[in-house]
Amino acid sequence: MSLPHAILTALLEKPSSGLELTRRFDRSIGYFWSATHQQIYRELGKLETEGHIRALPAPEQPTRGQKKSYEVLPAGRAELARWTAASQDPKPHRDTMLLRLRASAVVGTEGIETDLRRHLALHQRQLAEYEEIEKRDFQPGGDAPRNRQDRLQHLVLRAGIDLETFWTQWLTHALTEFAELPDETT
């Protein structure tokens, strides 16, 4: 049920077309909640049918291929507020790398170390990207007081930074352990 809420959030931040939403998902929300172009358009249709959003009126002279932009209606805002206020339990963490590492203990470690290195590089790149966003968008000690929206968006970004920091540290530790593993024949 979270994709419709992610879309409502994005539209409340700024009315947008489906294409603009897709681009915004790729640049921000998609870091923690991804969706394809088709999923976004499908959900826009459902949200419009449910009366949570509406297409903004088009200009007098419609042009071919003109993007339809959407805004959130009061019912959509109320649904998002209801969902935000509702209690939800955390989901159990599922990670195929951890499962593969566990399996390698009984079937052998062929290929795992190489993939651990690849994962480390991916997490290092993501961490660098998040840190660049933080540096660009959330300068400490800036002149303007930070409003609630900025502070909460920064808090979400910090979660990403902290998670990527965890994974880079853990993968570095795992690779150190790997280097110290006894031969599989002993």
Side-chain angles (χ1 to χ4, degrees):
M1 191 66 177
S2 294
L3 179 56
H5 298 103
I7 291 171
L8 287 170
T9 299
L11 289 175
L12 279 169
E13 291 172 346
K14 179 182 176 197
S16 305
S17 69
L19 180 59
E20 291 165 337
L21 279 173
T22 300
R23 289 180 180 148
R24 288 173 58 207
F25 265 72
D26 289 345
R27 288 190 322 264
S28 61
I29 291 175
Y31 287 125
F32 56 91
W33 197 268
S34 62
T36 66
H37 188 74
Q38 292 85 0
Q39 289 171 316
I40 289 172
Y41 275 95
R42 188 170 39 250
E43 287 301 327
L44 284 170
K46 289 178 187 176
L47 288 167
E48 191 171 25
T49 299
E50 293 167 356
H52 291 173
I53 64 171
R54 73 174 179 135
L56 291 169
E60 295 283 327
Q61 297 292 324
T63 59
R64 185 173 175 215
Q66 181 177 355
K67 296 182 263 181
K68 190 187 326 184
S69 289
Y70 297 90
E71 69 178 354
V72 177
L73 295 171
R77 180 180 284 274
E79 168 54 23
L80 188 59
R82 182 210 58 78
W83 179 77
T84 302
S87 177
Q88 292 186 357
D89 292 335
K91 300 274 186 228
H93 182 73
R94 295 171 56 168
D95 188 286
T96 54
M97 174 54 81
L98 296 177
L99 182 58
R100 290 173 55 225
L101 194 57
R102 175 77 181 252
S104 74
V106 292
V107 298
T109 59
E110 181 76 29
I112 293 289
E113 185 175 4
T114 300
D115 213 29
L116 285 170
R117 291 186 190 288
R118 187 178 69 82
H119 278 238
L120 177 58
L122 292 170
H123 285 288
Q124 287 171 329
R125 276 197 299 275
Q126 190 64 64
L127 177 58
E129 187 174 341
Y130 286 163
E131 288 173 335
E132 185 59 35
I133 292 169
E134 182 179 46
K135 186 176 167 185
R136 180 191 70 218
D137 296 344
F138 301 102
Q139 289 276 332
D143 294 337
R146 292 181 2 168
N147 62 30
R148 179 169 59 186
Q149 182 175 347
D150 288 343
R151 291 179 73 156
L152 293 175
Q153 287 176 348
H154 189 206
L155 189 60
V156 171
L157 178 61
R158 282 302 319 170
I161 290 170
D162 292 347
L163 284 169
E164 294 303 328
T165 299
F166 163 78
W167 281 114
T168 57
Q169 290 172 350
W170 182 86
L171 286 159
T172 300
H173 175 75
L175 286 164
T176 300
E177 286 290 322
F178 238 84
E180 298 171 3
L181 287 176
D183 260 354
E184 290 183 44
T185 57
T186 55

